[in-house]
Amino acid sequence: MDKRLLTIQDISCVGQCSLTVALPVISACGIETAVLPSSVLSTHTAGFSGYTFRDLTGDMADILAHWKKEKITFDAFYTGYVSKAQIPVILRIMDETARPDSLRIVDPVMADNGVLYTGFDSDFPSEMKKLCSRADVILPNLTEAAFLVGEDFAGNSYTPGYIEDLLKKLKALGPSYIVLTGVSFAPDKLGCAVYDGMEIKYYFNTRLDASMHGTGDVYASVVAGALCRGWSVYDAAALAADVVVESMKATLGDRDHWYGVKFERALPYLIGRLSSGK
């Protein structure tokens, strides 16, 4: 039986993020990709104004009931931007539609640069912890990691010791693996730290002088797809970082493309890496 992954996150109709990234990227990994939209927005919320928003929490229970009637099950789950009210429903979906040895991947999308995203209140991290505690792999950025463990955001002034302590506290929440993104110990390098409870492994790329919307969604989606292909967590995290860099390189210089990253240009690179197995 081919592997089937369910991703639960919002659809921003325009903007190259969330489900409009996850579906093509994971499909390019050769994994059947099912979707459960948590909400529908006309655009993403960064840089656009007057966007529409429709919450879909009320549909989730009926969708689950239909899936159970049809005996639809999943090998993997990957969550992104979801609301506080949706977390208990998502846990039910995972529990009631999982195939044996299913994989749970949680990108705790809620904050960046030291602040929560618009629409999330101060107790949202405590709810997100419930989802992270049941995950096999979580992929927080530095802000999200700090909020999950109840610490203040350290900004750019941190040491390897701080990262090690943060990873240990995240591991204590319950996930099997942590992939901490946005880690940097040198101005020209940016990467991730992968922790399994025993060893911390880092992977760095040369930092590009640019910041682009949607790179986190590309990263998490590649990790999810590669894990379903049997890659190790570290190798999947490294591959994802390389794909993000390729996506950003394809976007650099196009001032009209400020709203997203041209990940489509990097899909041949992704497929080639997956085919070669390295």
Side-chain angles (χ1 to χ4, degrees):
M1 182 183 295
D2 292 339
K3 287 189 176 180
R4 176 191 292 150
L5 175 145
L6 171 65
T7 181
I8 308 171
Q9 52 185 304
D10 72 288
I11 294 178
S12 291
C13 299
V14 173
Q16 293 177 302
C17 66
S18 57
L19 276 181
T20 61
V21 169
L23 179 56
V25 168
I26 299 169
S27 296
C29 294
I31 304 301
E32 179 185 345
T33 310
V35 302
L36 178 55
S38 58
S39 56
V40 179
L41 295 85
S42 54
T43 66
H44 64 61
T45 61
F48 293 104
S49 61
Y51 51 83
T52 67
F53 176 88
R54 182 174 296 275
D55 181 86
L56 298 178
T57 305
D59 297 290
M60 288 184 167
D62 289 341
I63 290 171
L64 172 59
H66 183 230
W67 284 347
K68 291 175 67 176
K69 178 184 176 183
E70 297 294 334
K71 297 181 171 55
I72 294 171
T73 55
F74 305 97
D75 296 284
F77 304 89
Y78 154 42
T79 66
Y81 184 99
V82 299
S83 72
K84 182 166 58 176
Q86 290 166 349
I87 289 174
V89 187
I90 290 168
L91 289 171
R92 276 188 58 208
I93 291 168
M94 290 178 171
D95 289 341
E96 297 178 20
T97 65
R99 292 175 180 172
D101 301 316
S102 65
L103 181 65
R104 301 184 182 196
I105 303 156
V106 174
D107 183 3
V109 179
M110 60 178 171
D112 203 2
N113 297 315
V115 295
L116 288 166
Y117 291 142
T118 301
F120 291 143
D121 55 30
S122 59
D123 64 349
F124 184 81
S126 65
E127 292 299 309
M128 180 55 73
K129 281 199 294 187
K130 298 175 183 178
L131 193 55
C132 290
S133 70
R134 303 278 299 278
D136 296 292
V137 182
I138 63 171
L139 302 103
N141 61 35
L142 288 169
T143 300
E144 291 158 348
F147 288 179
L148 283 170
V149 301
E151 293 189 358
D152 292 331
F153 175 56
N156 296 321
S157 58
Y158 54 83
T159 64
Y162 170 81
I163 296 298
E164 178 180 354
D165 183 63
L166 192 57
L167 289 167
K168 288 180 178 178
K169 290 178 179 178
L170 288 167
K171 185 70 174 66
L173 297 179
S176 300
Y177 291 88
I178 296 96
V179 179
L180 181 63
T181 62
V183 177
S184 177
F185 300 123
D188 61 337
K189 298 291 182 182
L190 182 66
C192 62
V194 180
Y195 184 54
D196 62 359
M198 298 180 63
E199 179 184 15
I200 301 171
K201 297 177 71 173
Y202 293 97
Y203 185 82
F204 294 104
N205 294 94
T206 299
R207 184 194 292 267
L208 298 179
D209 186 20
S211 178
M212 299 179 186
H213 301 301
T215 52
D217 298 316
V218 175
Y219 186 90
S221 299
V222 173
V223 169
L227 290 177
C228 287
R229 289 282 295 259
W231 285 46
S232 71
V233 175
Y234 177 79
D235 288 342
L239 172 65
D242 292 344
V243 172
V244 167
V245 169
E246 291 298 314
S247 301
M248 293 180 69
K249 287 179 177 178
T251 316
L252 287 170
D254 188 345
R255 293 184 179 180
D256 293 330
H257 207 91
W258 57 267
Y259 52 84
V261 63
K262 296 182 181 180
F263 71 91
E264 300 91 345
R265 305 281 184 90
L267 291 181
Y269 173 84
L270 169 62
I271 294 168
R273 289 281 302 273
L274 289 168
S275 298
S276 69
K278 59 183 180 181

